[in-house]
Amino acid sequence: MWDPSTYLRYGDERSRPFHDLVARVPAERPRAVVDLGCGPGTLTATLAGRWPDSRISGLDSSPEMIARARALGRVRGLAAGTGVLEPVAFAVGDVRDWQPEPDVDVVVCNAVLQWVPGHQDLLTRWAGALPAGASLAFQVPGNFAAPSHRALREVAGRERWRDTLAPLLREAPVEEPVDYAALLVGAGCAVDAWETTYVHLLPAAGADHPVLAWMEGTALRPVRAALDDAGWADFRAELGVRLAEAYPVRQGQVYFPFRRIFVVARTGARAEENL
């Protein structure tokens, strides 16, 4: 379902929330760091720069993403003259099945949990399994009420596509920051929770509307996988019209507000120690 090249079309914009999240992780010398839902590995590799003495690993359910991540490691190793992989181990796996090893002191989960129904239970389980003082840091998109996603659900709700696509699209797959904070404080964590709305300035170049091109890398992946070529062409054409109405081109670009929700939880801390 995942195409690394499509996902990386807007690499700078997609990477900024990751860096903003990791910047708030207080760990100085973690023994092991795990990036759950690591995608193509480009951001996971930066964790080795932040914590050079730590064991870094990345997990993703997409074999295509992990193949790209491993290739990136080989290229970086050759560029350094070592001919070996960077100090990051990548593996295919489902975050729902993941269990932390005893030395995992930092878990990063960037733009993944929105795909996992019931991920609140996962967060509680991870918080209880991590060692005291570990950091659980995650970021999820909070833009499901935005015009882009309303248009997606409206087109998917048309009679032609309703039966196929309705089960794939949820209106509220994530919680609000206060709800995540309450959940993890209840699990015995100190919590730093916040939200940020980025205004991405997307160049309007080419035939496709830039928000449509953005969504093809993430939100539209299940839709593309469920439709045949003809159905997909018709779907994206209709969605493109609606997106052009919702996000007009101004000064040669589209102004695309994107809300993100961030949480950094430290395990084994009293509630009054909240960050």
Side-chain angles (χ1 to χ4, degrees), residues 76-138:
R76 289 170 65 92
L78 290 170
T82 63
V84 298
L85 291 176
E86 288 288 282
V88 179
F90 292 106
V92 176
D94 193 321
V95 299
R96 293 171 294 185
D97 301 326
W98 179 79
Q99 294 282 355
E101 297 181 13
D103 65 344
V104 173
D105 292 324
V106 174
V107 175
V108 178
C109 197
N110 182 61
V112 174
L113 295 177
Q114 73 273 15
W115 298 105
V116 184
H119 62 263
Q120 296 86 346
D121 293 336
L122 279 184
L123 292 170
T124 302
R125 174 159 61 82
W126 293 341
L130 289 166
S135 293
L136 171 58
F138 64 93

Side-chain angles (χ1 to χ4, degrees), residues 130-148:
L130 289 166
S135 293
L136 171 58
F138 64 93
Q139 176 268 128
V140 291
N143 66 330
F144 294 96
S148 56

Side-chain angles (χ1 to χ4, degrees), residues 139-208:
Q139 176 268 128
V140 291
N143 66 330
F144 294 96
S148 56
H149 282 66
R150 291 202 304 269
L152 171 58
R153 291 191 297 269
E154 289 168 3
V155 176
R158 287 190 54 196
E159 183 177 358
R160 176 179 177 182
W161 294 298
R162 185 185 306 130
D163 292 344
T164 300
L165 299 181
L168 303 178
L169 303 174
R170 295 175 292 149
E171 288 195 23
V174 302
E175 302 280 5
E176 291 297 310
V178 67
D179 298 314
Y180 285 123
L183 175 73
L184 289 164
V185 167
C189 298
V191 176
D192 181 8
W194 71 100
E195 63 179 78
T196 298
T197 298
Y198 301 93
V199 179
H200 298 306
L201 306 184
L202 308 182
D208 291 334

Side-chain angles (χ1 to χ4, degrees), residues 5 16 43 62 133 167 171 180 198 252 269:
S5 297
R16 185 174 172 187
L43 298 176
S62 167
E171 288 195 23
Y180 285 123
Y198 301 93

Side-chain angles (χ1 to χ4, degrees), residues 3 9 70 72 76 81 97 118 129 133 155 181 190 195 218 262 270:
D3 180 346
R9 279 176 183 164
R70 288 171 173 163
L72 171 68
R76 289 170 65 92
D97 301 326
V155 176
E195 63 179 78
T218 50
F262 300 81
R270 299 190 303 273

